[in-house]
Amino acid sequence: MDEDRTESPLIPDGAKDSGSQVLWRSLAVLEAVSAGADDLKTVTEAVGINRSTTHRLLSTLVKAGLLRRLNGKGYQLGPKLIELGFRAHEQAHLPTIARPHLEDLSAVTNDTVHLGVLEGDEVIYLDKVSGRRSLEMRSRIGQRMPAQCTSLGKALLSDKPLAQQRGCFSADGVRTPASCQTVEAFVADIQSVRRDGVAFDMEENEPGIRCISAPIRDARGAVVAAVSISSSLAHMGEDRLQALRAVIRSAADAISRDLGWRPLSAELSDAS
């Protein structure tokens, strides 16, 4: 009789009773198949339980439609997961999911926080949480701004094709002397977001106002939104901007995880 080997890190240590063990092991099998394990041997190795138990779990998941058997050999994610995924996507309302994170971010920084999405060459503000400072931003929910002059726009364009990035720049869209004056400078700013994970607006949209943003990804790893912190120049010196890098990325990643993102999905998206 096979003995169970060391459990997969996907299975919590606290899953001791038989019911929760079956559930967590089944989820671990699904995770293994989604990560590329496609036969009994590789799934068993990935999950870390014995071969016979893995085989029983695979068979049950196939019967439930959560896995699909390929030519009597390998395994793929099944049609039931596709159905559930579409339902989850339909139910995922971005502003509702993001709101608690925006409120937390504003409370931690005392600054105004925005959530935005890209439409054409413009950013649309989906939500705004005002800061506690005596500064009131003129932005409002539903407002549109040119992507080229906002940190949100640069973050939103960070995974888009070069042609789309270049198409979002217009000489007529230059708003302040601090704005990117050429399409080459604008694209270079966007490329830095891919490298550093954050975008900046250094008084490019409005004199005296600086912003830092980070992209938000969905389950595919695609950038679908962005979050920003905005404040006056007096509160956004170089040292503080640098300190906010980790803060804004942490908030963006938390929202992304609530949308189903995992770091591997972002790596695959960037590589495509």
Side-chain angles (χ1 to χ4, degrees):
M1 179 177 178
D2 285 338
E3 294 294 332
D4 276 357
R5 298 178 290 159
T6 302
E7 292 282 10
S8 164
L10 297 171
I11 303 173
D13 293 336
K16 297 299 183 184
D17 64 272
S18 59
S20 63
Q21 273 197 357
V22 170
L23 174 59
W24 282 106
R25 287 173 173 178
S26 298
L27 292 172
V29 168
L30 291 173
E31 288 275 8
V33 173
S34 72
D38 60 0
D39 58 24
L40 178 58
K41 181 177 182 295
T42 55
V43 173
T44 299
E45 292 173 349
V47 176
I49 57 181
N50 66 59
R51 187 182 181 92
S52 60
T53 300
T54 304
H55 185 266
R56 287 196 300 272
L57 292 172
L58 286 166
S59 298
T60 300
L61 291 168
V62 169
K63 289 178 182 178
L66 297 172
L67 290 179
R68 178 189 290 117
R69 191 89 160 102
L70 296 175
N71 302 320
K73 296 180 181 179
Y75 297 89
Q76 279 185 346
L77 298 181
K80 189 67 176 178
L81 281 177
I82 298 174
E83 176 189 341
L84 293 173
F86 274 110
R87 289 183 183 177
H89 180 71
E90 290 170 356
Q91 293 173 8
H93 184 241
L94 177 59
T96 301
I97 290 172
R99 183 70 186 192
H101 300 288
L102 304 184
E103 291 175 348
D104 289 346
L105 185 59
S106 182
V108 167
T109 63
N110 293 320
D111 294 316
T112 298
V113 173
H114 294 98
L115 176 73
V117 295
L118 186 69
E119 186 170 295
D121 60 358
E122 295 179 313
V123 171
I124 302 176
Y125 294 123
L126 293 187
D127 204 354
K128 173 185 177 180
V129 179
S130 296
R132 298 175 183 175
R133 306 188 194 278
S134 58
L135 174 71
E136 178 56 37
M137 300 286 175
R138 292 183 293 178
S139 56
R140 65 183 186 278
I141 296 174
Q143 183 178 7
R144 293 170 177 264
M145 295 295 295
Q148 76 180 71
C149 61
T150 64
S151 62
L152 285 171
K154 296 173 189 176
L156 288 162
L157 286 164
S158 60
D159 74 335
K160 301 301 185 287
L162 179 59
Q164 184 175 351
Q165 295 174 5
R166 296 179 67 90
C168 285
F169 180 86
S170 166
D172 295 334
V174 175
R175 297 170 69 89
T176 76
S179 302
C180 292
Q181 303 295 310
T182 66
V183 66
E184 289 77 17
F186 179 58
V187 169
D189 266 8
I190 296 172
Q191 292 304 309
S192 72
V193 184
R194 295 178 65 91
R195 182 183 66 249
D196 302 330
V198 294
F200 296 99
D201 164 6
M202 305 294 282
E203 303 180 76
E204 297 167 51
N205 185 47
E206 185 178 349
I209 301 296
R210 286 181 169 182
C211 310
I212 182 172
S213 297
I216 295 168
R217 298 178 182 271
D218 65 7
R220 302 166 298 160
V223 174
V224 294
V227 58
S228 71
I229 303 169
S230 303
S231 195
S232 65
L233 178 60
H235 297 290
M236 282 291 200
E238 292 298 329
D239 289 346
R240 185 155 190 261
L241 280 172
Q242 295 306 312
L244 287 174
R245 283 174 176 261
V247 176
I248 192 70
R249 290 188 63 174
S250 178
D253 287 353
I255 299 170
S256 298
R257 285 192 294 271
D258 283 353
L259 292 175
W261 169 82
R262 295 296 180 270
L264 178 61
S265 63
E267 292 170 9
L268 293 174
S269 176
D270 288 342
S272 62

